Amino acid sequence: MKLVDTHAHLEDLENLDAAIRRAEAEGIIAIITMGSDLESSLWALNESQRYETESLKIYPAIGIHPWSMATSNLSEDLKFIEENAHRAVAIGEIGLDYWYREVRKNPEKKEKQRELFRSLLKIAKENGKPVSIHSRGAWMDCVEITIEVGVQKAVFHWFTGPQDALKKLLDHGYCISATPAANYSKEHRAAIRNTPVENILLETDSPVSYRGEVAEPAHVLKSLSAVAELKGETKKKISEETTENARRIFGIQI
Ligand SMILES: [Zn+2]
């Protein structure tokens, strides 16, 4: 099988060399590593490819995660992303998070998140790049703002939002990506069930923990088996289709 982990944070993995070897052994042929702030975006662009092997490619995405806003110098970081967007396969991880503690305490910060999200979407649009979106608690705003800015290709990563937001994003040809949580999360499972396979990608969001287990790119197999079960298809078929989707969305030559 040939699989792609379309959303990981490789710089945060403890023993990345070993994790890459295990991923390679499981048939993962590409990983897209996200930038969440300036430091991780620089790592994705300049360091991540040192971990590639002959059969596993690593592609950089650059972005500012809504959780990183407080510690970012936003105007400088935006300038960096603007200047380097052409070197990345995607702009991500970007988005909105209305459940984030800072926002729960100060709801006026939502507008600040939306401002930054719009700026990042505009950079993606101007550079013809896809985006990887974090939309927790802000699903409909994320979908509507992405449509409004006019981004062509968007992936709503680990999507757990309501039906109306899902329908709207699918109507615009956007995608969702499935994590290992697809094995147990009611909301994530419902979203996958209601999404055609041509709009589904696989990911791990490594090194996030799923029920106490720290994820690594090899665990894209867990995302695969959950999607196969939910769609009533073989793992082989789902692996072929989702890998083809990854090629199409991210424009990667694998
Ligand atoms: Zn992430």
Side-chain angles (χ1 to χ4, degrees):
M1 264 186 301
K2 290 180 176 173
L3 293 161
V4 182
D5 183 353
T6 63
H7 185 119
H9 300 267
L10 294 185
E11 83 285 1
D12 287 336
L13 267 78
E14 239 167 56
N15 188 342
L16 183 52
D17 279 310
I20 294 289
R21 279 197 299 276
R22 288 190 290 270
E24 198 182 14
E26 298 287 8
I28 285 86
I29 57 167
I31 303 169
I32 300 173
T33 191
M34 296 288 133
S36 307
D37 54 15
L38 181 62
E39 202 185 348
S40 54
S41 295
L42 278 166
W43 186 88
L45 286 174
N46 300 329
E47 317 277 331
S48 65
Q49 280 159 350
R50 283 200 277 149
Y51 294 88
E52 281 188 347
T53 68
E54 227 164 86
S55 56
L56 193 159
K57 300 273 286 174
I58 298 174
Y59 296 97
I62 57 175
I64 307 169
H65 194 290
W67 298 352
S68 307
M69 279 185 74
T71 52
S72 289
N73 178 332
L74 292 180
S75 60
E76 259 180 44
D77 294 357
L78 274 170
K79 189 164 167 265
F80 169 83
I81 290 174
E82 201 158 20
E83 288 171 353
N84 290 280
H86 67 281
R87 298 172 59 200
V89 295
I91 302 300
E93 176 170 1
I94 62 173
L96 305 173
D97 191 331
Y98 293 168
W99 290 358
Y100 188 50
R101 57 185 185 278
E102 295 299 313
V103 174
R104 286 189 189 226
K105 273 188 272 170
N106 304 297
E108 70 277 9
K109 291 208 169 148
K110 287 184 184 176
E111 188 47 39
K112 287 253 175 293
Q113 285 193 1
R114 287 191 290 262
E115 236 174 77
L116 173 65
F117 183 45
R118 275 199 192 92
S119 304
L120 290 160
L121 289 170
K122 279 183 196 147
I123 294 173
K125 191 192 172 190
E126 280 157 16
N127 287 274
K129 298 289 177 184
V131 289
S132 191
I133 297 175
H134 173 104
S135 54
R136 191 175 70 152
W139 301 284
M140 195 50 116
D141 277 8
C142 278
V143 173
E144 285 179 342
I145 294 170
T146 305
I147 293 168
E148 175 197 305
V149 173
V151 168
Q152 293 289 319
K153 295 177 184 171
V155 182
F156 290 79
H157 114 88
W158 194 344
F159 189 82
T160 55
Q163 265 312 300
D164 55 349
L166 179 66
K167 187 179 179 307
K168 199 160 197 171
L169 77 88
L170 292 173
D171 285 348
H172 278 79
Y174 298 151
C175 295
I176 65 168
S177 52
T179 68
N183 288 288
Y184 57 84
S185 152
K186 190 170 153 267
E187 292 81 8
H188 195 32
R189 286 171 71 82
I192 292 162
R193 222 180 258 121
N194 292 311
T195 300
V197 179
E198 58 264 35
N199 298 77
I200 297 176
L201 298 160
L202 303 179
E203 59 145 317
T204 60
D205 205 13
S206 299
V208 155
S209 279
Y210 296 93
R211 292 192 159 167
E213 191 183 15
V214 177
E216 57 179 59
H219 296 181
V220 82
L221 282 176
K222 296 172 194 257
S223 317
L224 171 69
S225 52
V227 173
E229 178 232 315
L230 287 164
K231 305 313 269 183
E233 293 281 359
T234 62
K235 287 191 225 173
K236 184 170 181 288
K237 178 114 194 288
I238 299 294
S239 71
E240 286 166 2
E241 289 196 44
T242 53
T243 294
E244 192 49 45
N245 297 342
R247 289 191 185 102
R248 187 181 78 241
I249 304 297
F250 293 103
I252 53 181
Q253 314 282 330
I254 42 163

